[in-house]
C-alpha cells in the first residue's frame, strides 16, 4: 500500500516561514512528479508547486519568489519551503505524487490527507 504523509503545518504570523514535508512509503517502484496543492474551504484545490523526477519546477504565480519545492529521492520525500507568508496562504496543503507501485503497474496519482497552514495577520 502506497501512502503519502504530510507534516510541518501550523500557525505562523504574516512574514514568517514554514517548511512542509511529504514522505511516500509502501511498495514503490518509482516516483515521477511530486506536487503541492492547497485548498481553502469552499474553493477548488489549486496547484501550488510541482517538481518533476528530473528536478524541474513550476510554481503558481501567487507563490513565485516566496515558495521553493524540492525533493530527496533517497528519502522519497518532497518539501515545500514557504517564506514571506501572507494570510492568503492560509489553506490545507496536500501532497500529490505520480507513483509507479510494485508489483510493476501503471503510474497512479496518490494524495496525502493534508496539513493545515494558518497565517495570522
Amino acid at each position: 500500500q502506497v501512502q503519502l504523509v504530510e507534516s510541518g503545518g501550523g500557525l505562523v504570523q504574516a512574514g514568517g516561514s514554514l517548511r512542509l514535508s511529504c514522505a511516500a512509503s509502501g511498495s514503490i517502484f518509482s516516483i515521477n512528479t511530486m506536487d503541492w496543492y492547497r485548498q481553502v474551504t469552499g474553493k477548488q484545490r489549486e496547484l501550488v508547486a510541482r517538481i518533476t523526477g528530473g528536478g524541474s519546477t513550476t510554481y503558481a504565480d501567487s507563490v513565485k519568489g516566496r515558495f521553493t519545492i524540492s525533493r530527496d529521492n533517497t528519502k522519497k520525500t518532497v518539501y515545500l519551503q514557504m517564506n514571506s507568508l501572507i494570510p492568503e496562504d492560509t489553506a490545507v496543503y496536500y501532497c500529490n505524487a505520480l507513483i509507479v507501485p510494485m508489483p510493476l503497474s501503471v503510474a497512479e496519482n496518490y494524495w496525502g490527507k493534508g496539513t493545515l497552514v494558518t497565517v495570522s495577520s
Side-chain angles (χ1 to χ4, degrees):
Q1 301 286 354
V2 174
Q3 281 190 317
L4 297 177
V5 178
E6 301 100 335
S7 61
L11 173 64
V12 64
Q13 286 191 329
S17 298
L18 280 176
R19 188 192 195 208
L20 305 183
S21 300
C22 171
S25 63
S27 299
I28 296 171
F29 176 74
S30 66
I31 304 176
N32 299 328
T33 56
M34 302 185 84
D35 305 330
W36 285 99
Y37 284 75
R38 66 186 181 188
Q39 188 169 24
V40 176
T41 302
K43 294 189 176 181
Q44 276 194 320
R45 195 171 294 187
E46 64 168 349
L47 177 64
V48 174
R50 168 169 290 166
I51 185 165
T52 68
S56 298
T57 58
T58 55
Y59 297 92
D61 288 342
S62 58
V63 307
K64 278 180 184 176
R66 300 189 298 120
F67 290 11
T68 302
I69 189 170
S70 61
R71 64 192 284 171
D72 184 333
N73 292 326
T74 62
K75 295 181 179 179
K76 298 185 178 66
T77 298
V78 63
Y79 305 96
L80 186 68
Q81 177 66 44
M82 305 186 295
N83 299 327
S84 302
L85 284 160
I86 58 178
E88 290 75 14
D89 294 320
T90 296
V92 177
Y93 284 71
Y94 296 91
C95 175
N96 173 271
L98 188 62
I99 294 174
V100 178
M102 286 201 296
L104 283 181
S105 179
V106 296
E108 296 181 28
N109 265 311
Y110 291 86
W111 289 91
K113 294 183 177 181
T115 184
L116 177 62
V117 172
T118 304
V119 183
S120 64
S121 57

